[in-house]
Amino acid sequence: MIQSTGIRAALLSMVLLVISLGLWELSSFKPEATEAVSEYELLMGGADQEARVPPPSDVLRLAWTELSNPFYDAGPNDKGIGIQLGYSIYRVLAGFSLAALIAIPVGFLIGMSPLMYKALNPFIQVLRPISPLAWMPLALFIIKDSETSSIFVIFICSIWPMLINTAFGVASVRKDWVNVARTHELNAFQTAFQVILPAAAPTILTGMRISIGIAWLVIVAAEMLVGGTGIGYYVWNEWNNLDLTSVIFSILMIGVVGMLLDMALATATRAVQYQE
Amino acid sequence: MHQHFLEVKGLGKRFPGKDGDLVVFENASFSLERGEFVCIIGHSGCGKSTILNVLAGLDRPSEGEVYMAGREVRGPSLERGVVFQNYSLLPWRSSLSNVTFGVRARRPGWSKAQVREHSLRYLHMVGLKDGAEHRKPAQLSGGMRQRVSIARAFATEPELLLLDEPFGALDALTRGTIQDELLKVCAETHQTVFMITHDVDEAILLADRVLLMTNGPHARVAESVRVSIERPRDRTTIVHDPAYYPIRNHLVDFLVTRSRELADRARLPEASGGDPMEPLEVDPGADARAGEPSLPPQHGRLMAVNGN
Ligand SMILES: Nc1ncnc2c1ncn2[C@@H]1O[C@H](COP(=O)(O)OP(=O)(O)O)[C@@H](O)[C@H]1O
Ligand SMILES: [Mg+2]
C-alpha cells in the first residue's frame, strides 16, 4: 500500500457516491405499466410518475442547465439559481457583519470586566435560546420591510456565538501576556490590539465560524417565511410548483454554499491560530 | 546620607484568611546599588515572586514602600524589565518580533530599521542566530525561549532587570551556557539585576550579593551575604577561589537549618510584628581570608567588585 490515507479516502468517497447514486437511480425507475392507465391518471399526467422522487440523472441534467446560466432574470418567479443564492448570501453576510460589529466589542467588554459580565449575563442567557424565527413577526411589525427583517433575524442568531466566544477568549488570555503588556507600558488601546486581540483571535474566529453556520441554516427558513427572493424562497416556490428536481438541486446548492462559507472561516481561523 | 539606587522599606504582604490574615512576609528591607547583581534565595512559598512583582510594580504590597532612583514605585514601568519563569513570550510572534515588541514600546521614535537592528544585536548577544530569530516560540527549545525572553528584557535597556527563576525549567547544560551569556551581557552593559534563584552555585557565580529569606509564613529577608569573588568569573575555576566554599557553606547552612530556626523564632507571639530591620550583612569569603569576624562591607569594595 503506497497510497496515502487521503487518496484512499477520496477513492472510498467516490465509490460510496457512485453506489448511492446508482441505488437512487434504480429505485426511481418508472414501473412497467401493467394495466391501462385510467382516464383520470392520464389527465394528471401519470400519477405514478409524479409520486416518485426524480432520479439523479434528472437532477444532474437540471444542474447543468441551471449552472450554465445561473444569473438570468425572467420575472419575480423565474430567476437563476445564482441570483437566488446571491440574495441569500448578501443577507447572511449583512446580518453577520452587523452582528460581528457589535458582538466583538461587547464581548471584549464582558471579557475584560467581571462587572459587565455579571450585569449582562442574565440578558444573554434569556435572549440566546430564543429561536431566531420567533423574532420575525416583531421584526416585520417594527421594521415593515421583509428584506431588512430577514437581515435582522440573521443578525440576532449570529450574535450569540460570537459574543460568548469573544468574551470567553478575552477573559482567558494568559495573565502573563497581560503582564508583558503592563511592563512594557502599553496603553489600553495598544494592549487590546497588540496582546488581547491576537491572543483571543482563534477563539473569536471559532465563534464566527459557528455563527455563520447558524446564519446559513436560518436564512433558508427565514426566506421561506417572508418570500420574495433568496434560496429559501426558491425551494419553497419549486415545491409549490411540484418541481421536485429543482427542490433537490437547490438543496444540494444550499449544502455547497454552506460548506464554502464554513471553509472560508476555517481558513481564517487557521491563519490566526498559534501554538503555545 | 548615601542614597541607594533601589530601596525597599518594611515591605509586607498579607492575604486575608478565615482565621486571621496570612502574613506571607513582613518587614522586608534591603537595597541595591546601581550596577549591582543581587540574588535572592529562600524556600518555596516564602514570597520571593511576590517581592519581585512588587518591585516590578505588577503587585501592591500590604505595607512598605519601594523607591527606585529616589522615586516611589507605584506601577509597572519600562525602567524595570521582567523575565518571568515561564518566559512569557507572545506565541503568535517570532523571536525577533517578540524583541522588537519591547524595543518599539521603549523607543517609539525609532525607525523600523533601527528597531530591527537593535533587536537583532541583542538576539545575537544571547546566542540566537541562524534562522532562530524568525521562528515562533513553540518551535524553539526551552533554553532558546529563555534567551529570547532575556534578549527582550535587555534590549529595552531598563534601569533594573528583574529575573524570576529564569533558569528553573532548563536542563543543567543549557542553564550553564545561558548563565555564561548572562555573565557576559551583564559585564558589557553594567546592568543592575535582581534575580530569584533556587540554586546556590548559580547565585555565587552571578551575584555580588545574595539575600537570604527565612521560611514563610512571616518570612523575612534575614541576611545579605557578600560574594567577594573577583570578576570576571568562570564556572570552571570559581570553585578554586578560597572564598567559594566558605560562601557556599554559609548559604547551604542557612537554607538547611537557619531559615527554619529563624522562622520559628519569628512566629513566636512576642516576636510578631517586629521593627523593620535591615538584613544582617555577612562576608564569609573575607572572613575566611582574614580569619577575623565579619565586617560590614564598605561602599568602595562594592565598586571594585563591580569593576566600575
Ligand atoms: N491570592 C492568594 N491568597 C492567599 N495566599 C497567596 C495568594 N497568592 C500567593 N499566596 C501565597 O503567597 C506565598 C508566596 O508566594 P510566592 O511569592 O509565589 O513564593 P515564592 O516565589 O517564594 O515561591 C505562597 O505561600 C502562596 O501560598
Ligand atoms: Mg516563585
Side-chain angles (χ1 to χ4, degrees):
Chain A
M1 280 273 122
I2 318 157
Q3 289 138 324
S4 72
T5 323
I7 295 174
R8 279 189 286 162
L11 273 174
L12 191 57
S13 297
M14 289 305 292
V15 169
L16 287 174
L17 181 69
V18 168
I19 290 176
S20 50
L21 287 182
L23 287 175
W24 176 8
E25 183 82 38
L26 284 173
S27 68
S28 318
F29 268 143
K30 272 181 278 185
E32 294 287 318
T34 46
E35 54 195 67
V37 182
S38 75
E39 219 168 291
Y40 176 73
E41 279 174 332
L42 270 177
L43 196 67
M44 294 305 291
D48 227 342
Q49 195 187 337
E50 282 301 335
R52 278 171 199 284
V53 175
S57 49
D58 285 4
V59 177
L60 281 177
R61 217 169 297 124
L62 177 78
W64 179 254
T65 47
E66 281 287 345
L67 292 177
S68 52
N69 184 17
F71 297 110
Y72 75 89
D73 188 350
N77 276 339
D78 192 11
K79 293 188 204 297
I81 185 85
I83 292 187
Q84 303 288 22
L85 282 171
Y87 275 115
S88 302
I89 293 173
Y90 156 71
R91 287 171 191 147
V92 161
L93 291 184
F96 174 81
S97 312
L98 281 174
L101 233 50
I102 292 185
I104 293 172
V106 175
F108 243 81
L109 202 64
I110 296 176
M112 305 270 277
S113 146
L115 174 73
M116 289 305 284
Y117 173 81
K118 283 220 170 92
L120 291 179
N121 197 38
F123 297 101
I124 296 174
Q125 294 309 329
V126 169
L127 293 177
R128 193 170 60 113
I130 299 174
S131 162
L133 293 171
W135 293 97
M136 190 58 104
L138 193 62
L140 286 169
F141 176 74
I142 295 173
I143 303 171
K144 294 187 177 63
D145 174 63
S146 63
E147 174 80 29
T148 320
S149 296
S150 7
I151 293 178
F152 171 78
V153 166
I154 294 305
F155 165 83
I156 205 84
C157 77
S158 45
I159 199 164
W160 309 117
M162 285 195 267
L163 185 67
I164 289 165
N165 266 45
T166 305
F168 175 75
V170 168
S172 45
V173 169
R174 290 230 329 246
K175 195 148 176 281
D176 296 339
W177 301 338
V178 179
N179 278 344
V180 168
R182 292 178 64 200
T183 53
H184 287 87
E185 290 186 38
L186 299 196
N187 59 34
F189 193 74
Q190 291 168 317
T191 306
F193 278 92
Q194 293 182 28
V195 177
I196 294 175
L197 192 60
T203 320
I204 296 175
L205 269 149
T206 304
M208 295 175 85
R209 192 175 165 192
I210 297 169
S211 281
I212 203 133
I214 294 176
W216 189 244
L217 292 180
V218 166
I219 193 64
V220 174
E223 286 168 348
M224 284 181 174
L225 211 57
V226 296
T229 47
I231 191 70
Y233 166 72
Y234 179 81
V235 174
W236 202 249
N237 193 36
E238 296 303 330
W239 161 240
N240 286 335
N241 297 340
L242 284 180
D243 184 354
L244 276 176
T245 316
S246 291
V247 168
I248 294 174
F249 168 63
S250 37
I251 288 176
L252 288 176
M253 290 313 291
I254 292 171
V256 169
V257 172
M259 183 184 75
L260 291 177
L261 288 175
D262 185 65
M263 276 166 63
L265 265 300
T267 309
T269 309
R270 232 173 291 125
V272 297
Q273 195 75 49
Y274 56 85
Q275 212 186 329
E276 274 188 43
Chain B
M1 200 195 123
H2 170 71
Q3 196 196 17
H4 302 288
F5 170 62
L6 183 84
E7 282 205 58
V8 178
K9 290 182 181 166
L11 217 57
K13 183 79 179 179
R14 56 184 78 230
F15 292 103
K18 268 182 257 128
D19 25 53
D21 287 1
L22 168 71
V23 179
V24 179
F25 60 87
E26 57 189 354
N27 296 325
S29 302
F30 57 91
S31 54
L32 266 72
E33 303 305 328
R34 207 177 271 277
E36 209 180 6
F37 196 128
V38 173
C39 280
I40 187 161
I41 300 191
H43 285 283
S44 197
C46 68
K48 304 179 296 292
S49 295
T50 311
I51 291 182
L52 184 130
N53 284 335
V54 169
L55 298 193
L58 292 168
D59 201 352
R60 305 284 306 166
S62 308
E63 60 240 10
E65 299 108 51
V66 177
Y67 294 91
M68 190 172 92
R71 289 216 310 277
E72 189 172 2
V73 170
R74 291 180 168 277
S77 158
L78 278 159
E79 295 300 349
R80 291 179 294 279
V82 190
V83 174
F84 298 95
Q85 179 167 13
N86 43 20
Y87 325 130
S88 296
L89 297 173
L90 304 176
W92 56 88
R93 289 169 174 266
S94 68
S95 317
L96 175 60
S97 167
N98 264 286
V99 180
T100 56
F101 172 87
V103 178
R104 263 194 305 143
R106 175 66 158 168
R107 315 277 179 209
W110 281 12
S111 73
K112 258 205 161 81
Q114 241 175 325
V115 168
R116 190 186 149 89
E117 192 262 335
H118 182 86
S119 306
L120 278 173
R121 191 151 56 81
Y122 278 91
L123 276 171
H124 293 166
M125 207 187 266
V126 296
L128 254 111
K129 44 193 113 180
D130 305 327
E133 310 93 301
H134 304 296
R135 269 185 262 151
K136 300 264 169 76
Q139 296 159 323
L140 300 174
S141 66
M144 282 164 122
R145 284 186 221 179
Q146 195 54 289
R147 282 164 202 247
V148 177
S149 184
I150 291 171
R152 180 175 67 190
F154 271 94
T156 53
E157 300 177 323
E159 291 212 49
L160 172 66
L161 189 61
L162 302 161
L163 306 167
D164 189 349
E165 290 187 48
F167 312 129
L170 304 181
D171 62 277
L173 213 61
T174 315
R175 194 184 314 157
T177 40
I178 304 187
Q179 283 167 356
D180 291 342
E181 306 281 0
L182 187 60
L183 267 180
K184 200 184 76 191
V185 179
C186 285
E188 279 173 41
T189 57
H190 306 293
Q191 180 70 54
T192 315
V193 183
F194 179 82
M195 170 168 154
I196 298 173
T197 178
H198 262 132
D199 184 341
V200 168
D201 297 298
E202 176 172 277
I204 300 173
L205 177 66
L206 297 173
D208 298 309
R209 217 147 40 85
V210 181
L211 300 175
L212 294 170
M213 281 187 84
T214 61
N215 294 358
H218 295 274
R220 283 159 178 268
V221 179
E223 286 186 19
S224 158
V225 180
R226 183 151 303 281
V227 182
S228 46
I229 297 177
E230 287 299 316
R231 289 180 192 268
R233 296 176 191 164
D234 182 284
R235 71 174 56 263
T236 49
T237 55
I238 194 170
V239 293
H240 303 307
D241 193 288
Y244 186 81
Y245 278 104
I247 297 170
R248 193 175 192 285
N249 292 341
H250 186 90
L251 299 182
V252 171
D253 177 57
F254 181 92
L255 288 176
V256 173
T257 54
R258 275 178 297 137
S259 62
R260 187 164 30 84
E261 287 169 8
L262 288 168
D264 290 344
R265 222 175 300 158
R267 274 194 291 270
L268 292 176
E270 65 268 26
S272 71
D275 301 324
M277 56 170 191
E278 295 287 326
L280 192 66
E281 307 253 358
V282 282
D283 190 344
D287 298 346
R289 270 194 293 272
E292 62 190 33
S294 172
L295 293 170
Q298 273 113 45
H299 189 55
R301 183 161 67 198
L302 170 71
M303 286 306 162
V305 168
N306 286 326
N308 52 3

